[in-house]
Amino acid sequence: MGIIMSTSVMLLFLLGLCHLSTAAAVDKNDVAKPKTTASTTYIVHMAKSEMPASFEHHTHWYGSSLKTVSDSAEMMYIYSNAIHGFSTKLTPEQAESLQSQPGVLSVLPELKYELHTTRTPEFLGLGQTTETIPQSNSESDVIIGVLDTGVWPESKSFDDTGLGPVPGSWKGACESGTNFNSSNCNRKLIGARYFAKGYEATLGPIETSKESKSPRDDDGHGTHTASTAAGSVVSGASLFGYALGTARGMAPRARIAAYKVCWVGGCFSSDIVAAIDQAIADNVNVLSMSLGGGMSDYFRDSVAIGAFSAMEKGILISCSAGNAGPSAYSLSNSAPWITTVGAGTLDRDFPAFVSLGNGKNFSGVSLYRGDSNAAPTALTPFVYAANASNATSGNLCMMGTLIPEQVKGKIVMCDRGVNARVQKGAVVKAAGGVGMILANTAANGEELVADAHLLPATSVGLQNADVIKSYLFKDPNPTATILFEGTKVGVQPSPVVAAFSSRGPNSVTPDVLKPDIVAPGVNILAAWSGAIGPTGLAIDARRVAFNIISGTSMSCPHVSGLAALLKGAHPEWSPAAIRSALMTTAYTAYKNGQKLQDVATGKPSTPFDHGGGHVDPISALNPGLVYDLTVDDYLNFLCALNYSATEINSLAKRSYTCDEKKKYSVRDLNYPSFAVNFESRYGGGTTSSNVVKYTRTLTNVGPPGTYKASVTSESQLVKISVEPETLSFSQANEKKGYTVTFSAVGSVPANAENSFGRVEWSDGKHIVGSPIAISWN
């Protein structure tokens, strides 16, 4: 936690996966529990088709069902699109009783989610002069819904100059509230809503003196993600002169609808579901959610359930993978109907060097740009925080742990961990320090994330930190200074997979490879809220129009905007087709032929790190072939997971019975990647078999052509074959199927490691690539 984002120490910026509430999901077979009067928010999923004929409307039925367990409980939200049901506050006993009522599919406790918290268009090949992007009004008809902390409407990134009327398909609204009214919307920011009933039910009324009970963004995160996805072109954008240039979103002519679901205390599932429910009704085309989903079964995951309903309506859902990397099995938002996005770097850096008294220099990064007289240009006394503290955790520079007499007038070296990086600098400054060197630990390795510190400071990687500490411990009078070098572009290699980016395998469904793709997520410049400083600290009185922050929260809206770009160019494409185009055209090697690197290991990254690879939007506009999916395909997938009729109903909002005569297999889901698990635990099984078969269908979205298959693999333990090896397409939207067979060769060592490969189809002009990940369970 807290190792990624640089902009806030509020609870919302504690990075990682979702935090579950203490209540467990209700199960009819639970043993008796001691009675309690404490109430909790629950989301109640109803089988709408089972409504008795005596009720005129489903809301009356919902209310009647609720009255059977509580005379006082009220429905907070009534859901009609994302799910069928409602949310309410109940005691655990009441929730268990409600679960047994006719027509009730499930009663799930409120969960708290947290946010996963320019140069980018040029880096992705989307410069303003690029002639390969179709120039039409179609992009301006695409609406991106952003579920986040709201929006700062006065930002130049939401200027609507040059945009035509609001699309006629738009059914949404611009809600008024604290410091926000309907006139704050325009032809760019066409909608803004807020959802706080779940938050207030758990944590009490919102204090409007501290945050706006309205769509207004007092945090910055939502403004940053919205402008990254579809911000208007703004010249002269920078953070204190860093990253100076023209800022623009990925789809600068697309429209934005902001849905505020995250508050100081977190993002609550009942509010998230309500926002998805409303966004579907509002007719958005893309949903961007830079927040953590669960690692539970999909029928218990509110984000996955809401996303399923959005997918049914033709809405692409882009979600962040999470910031819990580089640990394996750390990603969230793993449902196959969600596009799961990891983070990579840009070719831009912000160098700030450490110069020691012994004459040695070490590279670091920083976004400090304060009083030039405040930065120590001469060698200055230097101390390790642990040696200037009586606390056992003194090395971490936490509040109240430094001894001012031992810090005053010195540069202090602090270790990363526990509290926010920018807060460590604030602690040093408060104790009288004049500068800080922030040291990576083994948990961070060589990954460097720049921060807009309150005092002269720089961050150094683990190797440099160890050498600097050695100097500190051995020299009786250590000194140091920090040299700030501004902005540097053309950094190589780039991109590299960020260490914080959450990794596969997919813990919910191992036979579906996740993440899907990586996009820029490190040191991203985008619009910011005028209500808070760039560090997010209360003591930071600075105000900026743009900020530079990092996280898969930043990579997610890149893909959301690119999806809008593709939707504008190809309005007929389904969400699965758009994701396929992004995945199969992504690159996994640099122009020199070397494989993409993982900054966490210094070695080549794998599909468990980067999915299909790093997004390449120009190629995605013309992918040649796509792997498409329908709602029925996903329903068959749920059958392959052996979900019950009730569990499927929770996701699909209708009765659906799996055909007992049909053999379902997760491996037949028409996904643009291959996660191969020998001794898989899923349907269609190969429990002890040494042969695994995957079927796929390709749809032609380009000119007629003949595609030939090629396979690359680093494994000597598995033989991979494709049948047929050639596919010929004579017309648009023609479909052709193929099978990939994975055969284990000989005896497999007990310590066999994961191995990786790739299947590619090419007609000489297009390359349609799919990653392969082989695991031994």
Side-chain angles (χ1 to χ4, degrees):
M1 305 289 286
I3 65 171
I4 316 308
M5 300 283 289
S6 59
T7 61
S8 179
V9 294
M10 294 188 298
L11 185 56
L12 281 176
F13 280 70
L14 296 176
L15 301 174
L17 303 179
C18 69
H19 288 234
L20 306 187
S21 65
T22 54
V26 176
D27 191 313
K28 294 180 181 179
N29 298 318
D30 279 352
V31 295
K33 302 177 182 67
K35 289 188 177 295
T36 175
T37 57
S39 59
T40 302
T41 300
Y42 290 87
I43 299 176
V44 183
H45 294 253
M46 302 291 288
K48 189 177 178 182
S49 60
E50 297 180 17
M51 182 181 74
S54 57
F55 293 96
E56 293 184 1
H57 195 269
H58 64 275
T59 56
H60 301 153
W61 177 42
Y62 296 168
S64 177
S65 298
L66 181 58
K67 290 299 181 185
T68 63
V69 300
S70 173
D71 291 329
S72 59
E74 297 181 354
M75 290 186 288
M76 291 162 36
Y77 290 114
I78 296 174
Y79 307 114
S80 301
N81 301 300
I83 68 169
H84 289 157
F86 59 94
S87 56
T88 186
K89 291 197 74 173
L90 298 169
T91 66
E93 291 74 31
Q94 291 170 336
E96 187 171 358
S97 178
L98 183 60
Q99 174 75 75
S100 65
Q101 297 299 312
V104 177
L105 295 170
S106 62
V107 182
L108 303 181
E110 178 90 280
L111 306 182
K112 186 176 76 173
Y113 296 77
E114 292 177 358
L115 296 169
H116 288 150
T117 258
T118 175
R119 172 78 179 161
T120 310
E122 287 73 20
F123 183 69
L124 294 176
L126 295 176
Q128 287 177 262
T129 60
T130 299
E131 297 178 357
T132 50
I133 301 296
Q135 295 298 316
S136 69
N137 291 325
S138 297
E139 181 190 326
S140 66
D141 291 333
V142 179
I143 303 165
I144 303 175
V146 182
L147 273 65
D148 214 294
T149 63
V151 66
W152 190 261
E154 293 82 7
S155 170
K156 292 182 179 179
S157 291
F158 307 121
D159 181 21
D160 64 357
T161 300
L163 288 174
V166 173
S169 61
W170 175 242
K171 306 299 181 185
C174 195
E175 296 178 352
S176 298
T178 311
N179 303 318
F180 199 98
N181 57 59
S182 59
S183 64
N184 287 123
C185 291
N186 57 20
R187 297 189 306 273
K188 161 59 76 171
L189 178 65
I190 63 173
R193 299 181 185 270
Y194 66 98
F195 302 83
K197 293 178 181 178
Y199 173 84
E200 291 188 315
T202 301
L203 297 179
I206 289 171
E207 294 186 49
T208 54
S209 61
K210 295 182 178 179
E211 60 179 331
S212 302
K213 190 174 180 180
S214 74
R216 181 165 293 279
D217 179 15
D218 302 307
D219 180 280
H221 192 279
T223 298
H224 198 281
T225 56
S227 62
T228 297
S232 299
V233 177
V234 181
S235 60
S238 74
L239 171 63
F240 303 137
Y242 287 106
L244 178 63
T246 298
R248 48 161 284 186
M250 296 298 96
R253 295 185 60 79
R255 315 303 177 113
I256 297 169
Y259 298 85
K260 184 174 179 178
V261 297
C262 296
W263 307 83
V264 168
C267 324
F268 289 81
S269 56
S270 59
D271 295 328
I272 294 170
V273 173
I276 297 174
D277 197 74
Q278 187 61 61
I280 294 171
D282 289 346
N283 262 0
V284 303
N285 304 108
V286 176
L287 269 178
S288 186
M289 295 188 282
S290 292
L291 44 83
M295 291 185 182
S296 59
D297 289 319
Y298 303 129
F299 61 85
R300 294 183 182 275
D301 182 345
S302 294
V303 170
I305 294 169
F308 192 97
S309 298
M311 172 274 299
E312 287 188 286
K313 297 295 185 180
I315 301 169
L316 183 138
I317 307 94
S318 173
C319 291
S320 48
N323 299 330
S327 301
Y329 296 98
S330 56
L331 61 79
S332 59
N333 297 317
S334 60
W337 47 88
I338 291 174
T339 300
T340 311
V341 188
T345 64
L346 293 173
D347 63 343
R348 180 178 64 197
D349 214 344
F350 308 101
F353 295 90
V354 176
S355 182
L356 300 180
N358 62 6
K360 294 184 177 180
N361 297 317
F362 301 89
S363 61
V365 297
S366 179
L367 293 169
Y368 172 76
R369 184 61 61 85
D371 183 356
S372 59
N373 296 322
T377 56
L379 289 171
T380 303
F382 185 26
V383 64
Y384 184 44
N387 295 335
S389 173
N390 292 323
T392 56
S393 59
N395 63 308
L396 297 176
C397 295
M398 298 174 69
M399 296 279 289
T401 60
L402 297 180
I403 301 172
E405 293 77 12
Q406 298 182 28
V407 169
K408 187 176 181 181
K410 298 180 181 179
I411 293 175
V412 181
M413 188 169 203
C414 305
D415 288 334
R416 281 179 64 174
V418 183
N419 59 333
R421 298 185 304 272
V422 289
Q423 189 180 59
K424 295 175 189 290
V427 169
V428 171
K429 185 176 182 179
V434 297
M436 177 182 71
I437 297 172
L438 187 59
N440 277 10
T441 64
N444 320 116
E446 298 306 312
E447 179 172 67
L448 297 177
V449 180
D451 297 306
H453 291 285
L454 290 169
L455 83 171
T458 187
S459 298
V460 296
L462 176 62
Q463 293 181 15
N464 285 347
D466 288 344
V467 178
I468 295 171
K469 286 178 184 177
S470 178
Y471 163 74
L472 264 175
F473 298 150
K474 292 179 180 178
D475 194 300
N477 296 297
T479 57
T481 189
I482 304 172
L483 306 173
F484 300 93
E485 298 291 326
T487 303
K488 180 182 178 181
V489 296
V491 175
Q492 297 299 331
S494 63
V496 296
V497 177
F500 63 74
S501 187
S502 291
R503 316 300 173 98
N506 184 337
S507 61
V508 182
T509 319
D511 286 334
V512 175
L513 182 60
K514 291 283 183 172
D516 292 314
I517 204 164
V518 293
V522 178
N523 296 333
I524 303 301
L525 177 76
W528 196 244
S529 169
I532 196 166
T535 63
L537 297 170
I539 61 172
D540 190 353
R542 301 172 297 177
R543 294 295 179 264
V544 296
F546 291 85
N547 199 8
I548 295 174
I549 59 177
S550 300
T552 53
S553 279
M554 283 62 257
S555 55
C556 168
H558 276 88
V559 170
S560 305
L562 295 177
L565 203 64
L566 266 63
K567 184 68 174 178
H570 303 284
E572 74 283 4
W573 282 8
S574 69
I578 292 172
R579 175 179 57 198
S580 174
L582 290 167
M583 290 178 64
T584 61
T585 59
Y587 60 91
T588 58
Y590 304 112
K591 292 180 179 179
N592 63 6
Q594 297 295 311
K595 294 181 179 180
L596 288 187
Q597 296 292 299
D598 178 2
V599 73
T601 62
K603 299 177 181 178
S605 58
T606 77
F608 287 144
D609 308 322
H610 61 234
H614 191 281
V615 66
D616 180 359
I618 300 301
S619 296
L621 285 162
N622 181 22
L625 307 173
V626 296
Y627 294 86
D628 209 352
L629 283 162
T630 66
V631 176
D632 284 344
D633 292 324
Y634 288 119
L635 291 172
N636 289 338
F637 167 79
L638 299 179
C639 289
L641 293 180
N642 294 320
Y643 277 15
S644 68
T646 297
E647 291 163 350
I648 293 175
N649 198 335
S650 293
L651 280 156
K653 308 186 306 301
R654 60 182 178 275
S655 296
Y656 185 85
T657 303
C658 301
D659 187 346
E660 295 181 359
K661 298 177 181 179
K662 185 175 179 179
K663 189 176 183 180
Y664 297 96
S665 173
V666 172
R667 293 184 292 276
D668 290 338
L669 181 70
N670 199 37
Y671 216 70
S673 56
F674 300 90
V676 184
N677 292 274
F678 286 94
E679 299 184 4
S680 173
R681 60 188 175 92
Y682 288 107
T686 55
T687 303
S688 59
S689 173
N690 64 347
V691 177
V692 182
K693 292 181 180 290
Y694 285 67
T695 61
R696 292 291 187 269
T697 300
L698 285 163
T699 301
N700 183 34
V701 292
T706 297
Y707 287 77
K708 294 183 178 180
S710 63
V711 176
T712 56
S713 174
E714 62 186 38
S715 175
Q716 302 300 315
L717 299 175
V718 179
K719 177 183 177 182
I720 306 173
S721 60
V722 178
E723 179 63 34
E725 295 181 348
T726 301
L727 295 175
S728 293
F729 298 89
S730 59
Q731 58 188 6
N733 298 316
E734 186 178 0
K735 298 179 184 292
K736 291 288 180 71
Y738 72 95
T739 300
V740 184
T741 302
F742 300 88
S743 305
V745 180
S747 60
V748 178
N751 61 345
E753 297 183 350
N754 297 336
S755 60
F756 306 95
R758 195 167 177 83
V759 174
E760 291 186 346
W761 292 89
S762 178
D763 64 349
K765 297 179 181 179
H766 305 89
I767 296 177
V768 185
S770 294
I772 297 169
I774 300 173
S775 302
W776 303 89
N777 299 323

